[in-house]
């Protein structure tokens, strides 16, 4: 309504201006400039307009319409219910207050959340610094542990060497006098007699009185209270009669049954298959107990083998094997031995599973070579040997890779050797 009134007002004003221009503008006002404008702007004119306030007396139609519109607007405004406008306003104000309350509440929560996030960020930074410090310390500690491990490894190697030496000393403690005297153990009062090796396969008449004591093995004798090394009679489980054996009661542990001895080369070990099977020699001196006897003895129980070695300088070493079994003649007295321990080197372990050969019976694994014939003695040859205790004896250390030898210890002739067994309790 107000916009329409303004338009009529302007229109009335323009009519008044045009009327004034047509009656009151003097021609002489523009006359001095007529020729100028006429020459410069021949087709257009410029005017200055002065518009006065509209007067109702000069534009009565416009004023009447204006008054009518104002009256109509007043009536329409009075016709609008006051109560409805007030209720609407209250509702809007209530919603606005609720919105403001919610807004301030959320702002407060956001502020608390920002504070919590700030605290968590500070805590995270502190944690990262702490972890970084701990990682650095852990790295240093790891280096320290590695250095300690190296030192411990060196100490462990040293301890193992020391234990090995201590074990060797403890093992040799019972043999100290023998090492100082640089000779084999002393014999008993039977060393002046000749006690030949006997085979259980040949014994028909035991020839022993009722009062003769005999035992299953040397350990049985040792545990019965006999602590003197010498010749005793033992009866293997599968033997009808006892056989004489040499029992070594001086070697640590006691109760060792000697299977073979070499000490001066007085007895030749260049023998036939039958001689090695039945045994030969003097139990007080050098001998081979016999493969038949060894077979019966080692198959009645679980035995441990010990080999003692002496050189010409008086040094002594030993080798022990957890298991020692010799099969019967049907499998050529095949050798079976277990894990090694000792100071001499494993030597005989490389002969494990070999058959026994003699100069007249070739059972080695070398098809085009006869080891026993070449080396002149019976033994568990492979192709041919790493340890050879029945070889040709020589009173010299200059003999290399031949004769009585144990290559894992020395590549030279040895002065004395003994093979002995004891049951594993």
């Amino acid at each position: 309504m107000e916009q329409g009134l303004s338009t009529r007002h302007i229109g009335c004003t323009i009519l008044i201006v045009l009327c004034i221009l047509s009656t009151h503008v003097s021609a002489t006002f523009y006359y001095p400039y007529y020729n100028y404008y006429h020459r410069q702007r021949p087709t257009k004119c410029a005017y200055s307009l002065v518009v006065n306030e509209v007067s109702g007396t000069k534009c009565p139609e416009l004023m009447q319409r204006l008054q009518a519109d104002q009256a109509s607007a007043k009536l329409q405004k009075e016709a609008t219910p006051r109560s409805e406008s007030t209720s609407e306003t209250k509702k809007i104000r209530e919603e606005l207050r609720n919105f403001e309350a919610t807004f301030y509440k959320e702002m407060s929560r956001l502020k608390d959340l920002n504070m919590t996030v700030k605290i968590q960020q500070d805590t995270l930074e502190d944690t990262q610094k702490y972890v970084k410090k701990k990682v650095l310390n852990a790295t240093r500690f790891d280096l320290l542990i590695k250095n300690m491990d190296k030192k411990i490894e060196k100490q462990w190697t040293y301890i193992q060497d020391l234990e090995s030496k201590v074990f060797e000393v403890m093992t040799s403690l019972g043999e100290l006098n023998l090492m100082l005297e640089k000779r084999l153990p002393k014999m008993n009062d039977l060393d002046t007699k000749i006690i030949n090796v006997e085979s259980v396969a040949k014994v028909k008449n035991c020839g022993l009185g009722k009062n003769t004591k005999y035992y299953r093995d040397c350990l049985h004798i040792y545990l019965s209270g006999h602590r003197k090394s010498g010749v005793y009679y033992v009866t293997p489980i599968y033997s009808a009669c006892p056989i004489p054996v040499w029992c070594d009661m001086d070697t640590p542990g006691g109760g060792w049954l000697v299977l073979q001895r070499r000490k001066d080369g007085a007895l030749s070990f260049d023998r036939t298959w039958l001689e090695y099977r039945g045994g030969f020699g003097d139990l007080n001196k050098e001998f081979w107990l016999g493969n038949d006897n060894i077979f019966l003895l080692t198959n009645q129980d679980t035995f441990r083998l010990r080999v003692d070695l002496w050189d010409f300088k008086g040094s002594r070493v030993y080798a022990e094997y957890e298991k020692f079994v010799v099969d019967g003649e049907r499998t050529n007295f095949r050798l079976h031995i277990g894990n090694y321990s000792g100071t001499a080197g494993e030597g005989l372990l490389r002969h494990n599973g070999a058959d026994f050969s003699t100069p007249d019976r070739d059972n080695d694994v070398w098809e085009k070579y006869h080891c026993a014939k070449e080396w002149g003695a019976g033994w568990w040859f492979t192709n041919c040997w790493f340890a050879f205790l029945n070889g040709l004896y020589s009173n010299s250390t200059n003999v290399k890779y031949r004769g009585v030898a144990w290559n894992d210890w020395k590549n030279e002739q040895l002065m004395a050797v003994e093979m002995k067994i004891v049951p594993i309790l």
Side-chain angles (χ1 to χ4, degrees), residues 266-334:
L267 181 67
S268 173
F269 276 66
D270 187 0
R271 304 290 180 125
T272 64
W273 179 265
L274 293 178
E275 288 177 300
Y276 270 100
R277 185 182 69 180
F280 53 87
D282 183 353
L283 292 174
N284 286 312
K285 297 178 182 178
E286 295 185 321
F287 66 91
W288 179 260
L289 191 60
N291 290 338
D292 278 339
N293 294 340
I294 296 173
F295 161 68
L296 291 177
L297 286 168
T298 58
N299 281 272
Q300 66 179 349
D301 208 337
T302 303
F303 281 83
R304 182 167 73 252
L305 173 69
R306 177 185 173 106
V307 179
D308 287 308
L309 308 170
W310 291 263
D311 65 9
F312 285 93
K313 298 178 181 179
S315 299
R316 181 177 183 176
V317 294
Y318 75 97
E320 288 191 8
Y321 301 89
E322 290 181 358
K323 180 185 71 173
F324 177 77
V325 180
V326 174
D327 292 341
E329 187 173 15
R330 285 183 299 179
T331 55
N332 300 318
F333 302 109
R334 186 170 297 156

Side-chain angles (χ1 to χ4, degrees), residues 113-126:
L113 182 60
N114 288 335
M115 183 64 68
T116 303
V117 171
K118 182 64 170 59
I119 294 173
Q120 294 297 331
Q121 287 178 343
D122 294 340
T123 304
L124 180 60
E125 290 178 359
D126 294 339

Side-chain angles (χ1 to χ4, degrees), residues 142-154:
D142 184 59
L143 293 175
L144 180 62
I145 290 177
K146 289 181 180 179
N147 292 332
M148 291 298 296
D149 286 341
K150 291 181 181 179
K151 293 180 180 179
I152 290 173
E153 186 176 356
K154 291 181 180 179

Side-chain angles (χ1 to χ4, degrees), residues 364-422:
D364 59 54
V365 296
W366 201 340
E367 294 182 0
K368 298 181 180 181
Y369 196 78
H370 191 169
C371 294
K373 185 176 182 180
E374 173 65 24
W375 297 96
W379 191 247
W380 293 282
F381 289 105
T382 55
N383 62 340
C384 282
W385 55 269
F386 299 90
F388 186 33
L389 304 184
N390 289 343
L392 178 66
Y393 192 92
S394 175
N395 290 310
S396 173
T397 59
N398 296 327
V399 178
K400 302 291 185 182
Y401 303 103
R402 200 164 187 90
V404 182
W406 191 277
N407 287 347
D408 281 353
W409 182 33
K410 292 185 176 184
N411 298 320
E412 62 183 43
Q413 169 74 50
L414 301 180
M415 183 188 74
V417 297
E418 283 185 354
M419 297 176 61
K420 56 195 75 174
I421 58 174
V422 68

Side-chain angles (χ1 to χ4, degrees), residues 6 43 83 91 95 144 237 324:
S6 298
T43 61
S83 59
K91 184 177 180 180
E95 290 180 355
L144 180 62
I237 292 177
F324 177 77

